[in-house]
Amino acid sequence: MEILPTMALDERLKVLTEGAKYDVSCSSSGSRRGAVKGDTGGCHAGGMCHSFTADGRCISLIKLLLTNHCEFDCLFCVNRRSNDIPRARLTPKEICELVIGFYRRNYIEGLFLSSAVEKSPDHTMQNLIDTLIMLRGAYRFRGYIHVKAIPGASPHLIDLAATYADRMSVNIELPSDTGLKLLAPQKKKDMLLAPMRRLTDIVLQNNGLPPAAVKKLPAGQTTQMVIGATPDRDGQIIRLTEALYRKMHLKRVYYSAYSPVSDDSRLPMTPPDLKRENRLYQADWLLRFYGFDADEIAGTNENLPMDVDPKCAWALKNIGRFPIEINSASYEMLLRVPGIGVTNAHRILTARKHGRLTFDSLKKMRVALTRAVYFITADGEYRGLGDKPDLIRLRLTDKQFLLPEGGGVQLGFFDGLTEAAPQKPFLPEAFSL
Amino acid sequence: MKYLLCPPGFSGFLTAIYHSYYGHKDAAGFEPDTAARNFIDEYVPISDAPALAHKVKDAILEKGGADFYRDLYDAYRSGAADREQTLADYIRLFFKRGLAVRTMYGDAAVVAFNDMLRKVRHEVHRLAGFVRFREMQNGAYYAYYSSDNDIVDLLGLEFTSRFSTQAFVLHDYKRGKMCGYDGREMRLLPAPAKVEIQLSERERLFGSLWKQYHKNISVKGRENPRLQRGFLPKKYRHFMSEFDGE
């Protein structure tokens, strides 16, 4: 069903929001662009949230598809060609009017523009660029712009888009080549990796430049993958993530727990596994801010534990390295203590210059002692349970795994047995980058 | 016990600080002049003396620099009942220990001050995102809001840089304060008792598009109102157009 351009703007906006909302990335951080008299908008380095939706996610950018007419038929995607949904498109001018109108009312921080692949990748990429040129040029918009690089688009078009955008992204879609072959047969691994590499090259050219001299992609590159549509293990996902950060220099990797948008038998019909998504993000944080390597977080064919977060899991496995004395431990080791984050690790380093820190001082500094207490001594004092990882694990277990009611998951006696059986008939292999 | 009653305004507060070092050294604490009193304690009303306040300001600037002074100035926006006392304790410690106070995270006075300052700045950042402007018939934009802390001018500065040429009025309706910007300069104004707004014709269209967008962008099957409330407390929703009627 085609919704013609002559149809009401609100109808088309609805259709094209529907198509864009499974893109998780909504951050408006990473660019610092001061206001200029006569222009509209600027960027905060830390980004800004303007609202939060019923699913608890932030609205920072208006997320739109230029069109949801798609040549591709990726099974996990709501816009796949074979899906019987209303189709629509917005003109560049309509998008500019929406962005400026929303921005002036302080609804948003900027634009997240994507598109289904209509006609050809180059045709689609050119349409995206035309919109950005109009928004930055005629509408003099200096706010945040995140635009998708279309897989298969020519390198020169990707370069051109990068001159107008703060951030670009190509979705790697699925964590393994096998998954891609099964669920997105028209998308080849190289078709996704080529534009990502191009973006990496652009981002690397910014290295060493003063912020004001950075003209292309000041907020870098991101990607996202669907979790739970294929049987890929967390260990593989975390290794892929590590490679994306360390070899491709991405700013963020987003995970999206698969929500059933198709009744194809190749896809699971279960509701999105939000806890798993949450654990993967925790692991992602460990890679980026806590100095962890993928090997320390999970073995290649392992999944992350669900009952405790990955940092607790590491600490319990390495209980022999604890407790550490808070007044003498290194920054790297402080960061490994469950309950101590980056902010508090820095605070501890500074505060201990003024005198010995005790449990009382840690409490004042808002260290999460309920977790940290098993892994530290403060001025010689120890309040933990000793070398008893099983006991500590119970204390650190998320409440939902202990309470039989209240929407939580109850762990049955036989759960360990069923989990060991393979969930799907084939074994995936991770991307090599 | 002797308490110094601070008049409203940062200058009045600094005057009280001055008196606590000269003349009322025996003062046990600071209270806003609106505070409830009992008949056992002694209360000394302080009147704003800009010349004395300036001496304190200069002393702070000399010892702590402009950024430190800015911290104090921003923290003074706090809506906390004990803000005078919290600030005074911190300033006293600062005159003893210098800028080291900034990182003395184990000290109760420092913790209390840092909490207060963080709350003010956090609210400025949050509201810079949450405040909703409506276009009026004359082309200017109007927004009303209410906040825990007195931050109308700090918010105003955020929006002058964001909108640059867009005239707007920002209205803290609980405190009766306004901040206006005509596209060139920003001014603080007293709010009239009653505000009547003529909305522009297209305002209704954008308002409903936004409401629709806010609803549609949420993914079904992932609803999590508790998470939503943590990021966006209900106390702010009454002035946010997407929550109309909540």
Side-chain angles (χ1 to χ4, degrees), chain A residues 211-228:
Chain A
V214 173
K215 299 294 178 215
K216 292 179 176 184
L217 304 185
Q221 178 187 189
T222 65
T223 192
Q224 81 165 30
M225 59 186 98
V226 174
I227 300 303

Side-chain angles (χ1 to χ4, degrees), chain A residues 138-206:
Chain A
Y139 285 84
R140 300 177 74 172
F141 180 68
R142 285 174 69 80
Y144 198 89
I145 296 180
H146 180 152
V147 69
K148 285 274 157 200
I150 302 297
S154 307
H156 76 275
L157 289 178
I158 289 178
D159 287 4
L160 187 57
T163 56
Y164 298 99
D166 290 284
R167 173 170 280 182
M168 288 180 75
S169 55
V170 185
N171 287 351
I172 198 159
E173 311 288 18
L174 292 164
S176 69
D177 206 4
T178 335
L180 207 57
K181 276 178 192 145
L182 186 73
L183 300 181
Q186 293 149 293
K187 283 184 180 159
K188 302 280 175 286
K189 183 175 94 175
D190 288 336
M191 197 174 162
L192 301 175
L193 291 181
M196 288 180 87
R197 291 209 175 90
R198 188 82 196 174
L199 293 176
T200 301
D201 290 344
I202 295 172
V203 169
L204 288 177
Q205 285 164 17
N206 292 338

Side-chain angles (χ1 to χ4, degrees), chain A residues 78-98:
Chain A
V78 66
N79 301 313
R80 65 188 179 280
R81 197 179 53 202
S82 61
N83 202 16
D84 182 23
I85 51 164
R87 306 278 170 176
R89 55 172 71 75
L90 286 164
T91 66
K93 186 158 189 288
E94 284 170 330
I95 288 177
C96 292
E97 291 287 338
L98 273 172

